[in-house]
Structure formats: structure tokens, C-alpha cells
Coordinates of all heavy atoms in Angstrom, one line a residue:
R27 N -89.3 27.0 28.6 CA -89.3 28.4 28.5 C -89.3 29.1 29.9 O -88.7 30.1 30.1 CB -90.5 28.9 27.6 CG -90.4 28.5 26.2 CD -91.4 29.3 25.3 NE -92.8 29.0 25.7 CZ -93.5 28.0 25.2 NH1 -93.0 27.2 24.2 NH2 -94.7 27.8 25.6
M28 N -90.1 28.5 30.8 CA -90.2 29.0 32.1 C -88.9 28.8 32.8 O -88.5 29.7 33.7 CB -91.4 28.4 32.9 CG -92.7 28.9 32.5 SD -92.9 30.7 32.6 CE -92.7 30.9 34.4
T29 N -88.2 27.8 32.6 CA -86.9 27.6 33.2 C -85.9 28.7 32.7 O -85.1 29.2 33.5 CB -86.3 26.2 32.8 OG1 -87.2 25.2 33.2 CG2 -85.0 26.0 33.4
Y30 N -86.0 29.0 31.4 CA -85.2 30.1 30.9 C -85.6 31.4 31.5 O -84.7 32.2 31.9 CB -85.4 30.2 29.4 CG -84.8 31.5 28.8 CD1 -83.4 31.6 28.7 CD2 -85.7 32.5 28.3 CE1 -82.9 32.8 28.1 CE2 -85.1 33.7 27.8 CZ -83.8 33.8 27.7 OH -83.2 35.0 27.2
I31 N -86.9 31.7 31.7 CA -87.4 32.9 32.3 C -86.9 32.9 33.8 O -86.5 34.0 34.3 CB -88.9 33.0 32.3 CG1 -89.4 33.1 30.8 CG2 -89.4 34.2 33.1 CD1 -89.0 34.3 30.1
S32 N -86.9 31.7 34.4 CA -86.5 31.7 35.8 C -85.0 32.0 35.9 O -84.5 32.8 36.8 CB -86.7 30.3 36.4 OG -86.2 30.2 37.7
T33 N -84.2 31.5 35.0 CA -82.7 31.8 35.0 C -82.5 33.3 34.7 O -81.7 34.0 35.4 CB -82.0 31.0 33.9 OG1 -82.3 29.6 34.1 CG2 -80.5 31.3 33.9
L34 N -83.3 33.9 33.7 CA -83.2 35.3 33.4 C -83.6 36.1 34.6 O -82.9 37.2 34.9 CB -84.0 35.6 32.2 CG -83.9 37.0 31.6 CD1 -82.4 37.2 31.1 CD2 -84.8 37.2 30.4
T35 N -84.7 35.7 35.3 CA -85.1 36.5 36.5 C -84.1 36.4 37.6 O -83.9 37.5 38.3 CB -86.4 35.9 37.0 OG1 -87.4 35.9 35.9 CG2 -87.0 36.7 38.2
K36 N -83.4 35.3 37.8 CA -82.4 35.2 38.8 C -81.2 36.2 38.5 O -80.7 36.8 39.4 CB -81.9 33.8 38.8 CG -80.8 33.5 39.9 CD -80.4 32.1 39.9 CE -79.4 31.8 41.0 NZ -78.9 30.4 41.1
Q37 N -80.9 36.2 37.2 CA -79.8 37.1 36.8 C -80.2 38.6 37.1 O -79.4 39.4 37.7 CB -79.5 37.0 35.4 CG -78.8 35.6 35.0 CD -78.6 35.4 33.6 OE1 -79.0 36.3 32.7 NE2 -78.0 34.3 33.2
F38 N -81.4 39.0 36.8 CA -81.9 40.3 37.0 C -81.9 40.6 38.5 O -81.5 41.7 39.0 CB -83.3 40.5 36.4 CG -83.4 40.7 34.9 CD1 -84.5 40.3 34.2 CD2 -82.3 41.2 34.3 CE1 -84.5 40.5 32.8 CE2 -82.3 41.3 32.9 CZ -83.4 41.0 32.2
Y39 N -82.4 39.6 39.3 CA -82.5 39.9 40.7 C -81.2 40.0 41.4 O -80.9 40.9 42.2 CB -83.4 38.7 41.3 CG -83.4 38.7 42.8 CD1 -84.1 39.8 43.5 CD2 -82.7 37.8 43.6 CE1 -84.1 39.8 44.9 CE2 -82.7 37.8 44.9 CZ -83.4 38.8 45.6 OH -83.4 38.8 47.0
E40 N -80.3 39.1 41.1 CA -79.0 39.0 41.7 C -78.1 40.2 41.3 O -77.3 40.7 42.1 CB -78.3 37.7 41.5 CG -78.9 36.5 42.1 CD -78.2 35.2 41.8 OE1 -77.4 35.2 40.9 OE2 -78.6 34.2 42.5
S41 N -78.2 40.6 40.0 CA -77.4 41.7 39.6 C -77.9 43.1 40.1 O -77.2 44.1 40.2 CB -77.4 41.7 38.0 OG -78.6 42.0 37.5
G42 N -79.2 43.1 40.4 CA -79.8 44.4 40.8 C -80.0 45.4 39.8 O -80.2 46.6 40.1
E43 N -79.8 45.0 38.5 CA -79.9 46.0 37.4 C -81.4 46.2 37.0 O -81.6 47.2 36.3 CB -79.1 45.5 36.2 CG -77.6 45.3 36.5 CD -76.9 44.8 35.4 OE1 -77.5 44.4 34.4 OE2 -75.6 44.7 35.4
S44 N -82.3 45.3 37.3 CA -83.7 45.4 36.9 C -84.5 46.3 37.9 O -84.3 46.1 39.1 CB -84.3 44.1 36.7 OG -85.7 44.2 36.4
L45 N -85.3 47.1 37.3 CA -86.2 47.9 38.2 C -87.6 47.2 38.4 O -88.4 47.7 39.2 CB -86.4 49.3 37.5 CG -85.2 50.2 37.3 CD1 -85.5 51.4 36.6 CD2 -84.5 50.5 38.6
N46 N -87.8 46.2 37.6 CA -89.1 45.5 37.6 C -89.1 44.2 38.4 O -90.2 43.7 38.9 CB -89.6 45.2 36.2 CG -89.9 46.4 35.4 OD1 -90.5 47.4 35.9 ND2 -89.5 46.4 34.1
V47 N -87.9 43.6 38.6 CA -87.9 42.3 39.2 C -87.6 42.4 40.7 O -86.6 43.1 41.1 CB -86.8 41.4 38.6 CG1 -86.6 40.1 39.3 CG2 -87.1 41.2 37.1
K48 N -88.4 41.8 41.5 CA -88.2 41.8 43.0 C -88.0 40.4 43.4 O -88.2 39.4 42.6 CB -89.4 42.4 43.7 CG -89.9 43.8 43.2 CD -91.1 44.2 43.9 CE -91.7 45.4 43.3 NZ -92.2 45.2 41.9
K49 N -87.7 40.2 44.7 CA -87.5 38.9 45.2 C -88.8 38.1 45.1 O -88.8 36.9 44.9 CB -87.1 39.0 46.7 CG -86.7 37.6 47.3 CD -86.1 37.7 48.7 CE -85.8 36.3 49.2 NZ -85.2 36.4 50.6
T50 N -89.9 38.7 45.4 CA -91.2 38.0 45.3 C -91.5 37.5 43.9 O -92.1 36.4 43.7 CB -92.4 38.9 45.7 OG1 -92.3 40.2 45.0 CG2 -92.3 39.3 47.2
D51 N -91.1 38.3 42.9 CA -91.2 37.8 41.5 C -90.4 36.6 41.2 O -90.8 35.6 40.6 CB -90.8 38.9 40.5 CG -91.7 40.1 40.7 OD1 -92.9 40.0 40.9 OD2 -91.2 41.3 40.5
Y52 N -89.1 36.6 41.8 CA -88.2 35.5 41.6 C -88.8 34.2 42.2 O -88.8 33.1 41.6 CB -86.9 35.8 42.2 CG -85.9 34.6 42.2 CD1 -85.4 34.1 41.0 CD2 -85.5 34.1 43.4 CE1 -84.6 33.0 41.0 CE2 -84.7 33.0 43.4 CZ -84.2 32.4 42.2 OH -83.4 31.4 42.3
L53 N -89.4 34.4 43.5 CA -89.9 33.2 44.2 C -91.2 32.8 43.5 O -91.5 31.5 43.4 CB -90.2 33.6 45.6 CG -89.0 33.9 46.5 CD1 -89.5 34.4 47.9 CD2 -88.1 32.7 46.6
S54 N -92.0 33.7 43.0 CA -93.2 33.3 42.3 C -92.9 32.5 41.0 O -93.6 31.5 40.7 CB -94.0 34.6 41.9 OG -95.2 34.2 41.2
I55 N -91.9 32.9 40.3 CA -91.5 32.2 39.1 C -91.0 30.8 39.5 O -91.2 29.8 38.8 CB -90.4 33.0 38.3 CG1 -91.1 34.2 37.7 CG2 -89.8 32.1 37.2 CD1 -90.2 35.1 36.9
Q56 N -90.3 30.7 40.6 CA -89.8 29.4 41.0 C -90.9 28.4 41.3 O -90.9 27.2 41.0 CB -88.9 29.5 42.3 CG -87.6 30.3 42.0 CD -86.6 29.4 41.1 OE1 -86.5 28.2 41.3 NE2 -86.0 30.1 40.2
V57 N -91.9 29.0 42.0 CA -93.1 28.2 42.3 C -93.8 27.7 41.0 O -94.3 26.6 40.9 CB -94.1 29.0 43.2 CG1 -95.4 28.2 43.4 CG2 -93.5 29.2 44.6
T58 N -93.9 28.7 40.1 CA -94.5 28.4 38.8 C -93.8 27.2 38.1 O -94.4 26.3 37.5 CB -94.6 29.6 37.9 OG1 -95.3 30.6 38.6 CG2 -95.3 29.3 36.6
V59 N -92.5 27.3 38.1 CA -91.7 26.2 37.4 C -91.9 24.9 38.1 O -92.1 23.9 37.4 CB -90.2 26.6 37.5 CG1 -89.4 25.4 37.0 CG2 -89.9 27.8 36.6
A60 N -92.0 24.9 39.4 CA -92.3 23.7 40.1 C -93.6 23.1 39.8 O -93.8 21.9 39.6 CB -92.1 23.9 41.6
L61 N -94.6 24.0 39.7 CA -96.0 23.5 39.4 C -96.0 22.9 38.0 O -96.7 21.9 37.7 CB -97.0 24.7 39.5 CG -97.3 25.1 40.9 CD1 -98.2 26.4 40.8 CD2 -98.0 24.0 41.7
I62 N -95.3 23.6 37.0 CA -95.3 23.1 35.7 C -94.6 21.7 35.6 O -95.0 20.8 34.8 CB -94.6 24.1 34.7 CG1 -95.5 25.4 34.6 CG2 -94.4 23.5 33.3 CD1 -94.8 26.5 33.9

């Protein structure tokens, strides 16, 4: 599920369409995935 969230976050971040997703959020999710 977190991998899916990570993919979805990447899409939001790279498309620039999301107002809530920042680069720090994307990196934080990547770290979370690695920890899991």
C-alpha cells in the first residue's frame, strides 16, 4: 500500500497538480517505504 502511495505521491509531485504534496513529503514517503 505504501508503494502505491509512493507512486501516487510521485505523480502528484512531478505533475505539480497537487497543492498538498511537496518534495519533502515525497522524500518522507520514500524513507517510510524503505523502513517498511
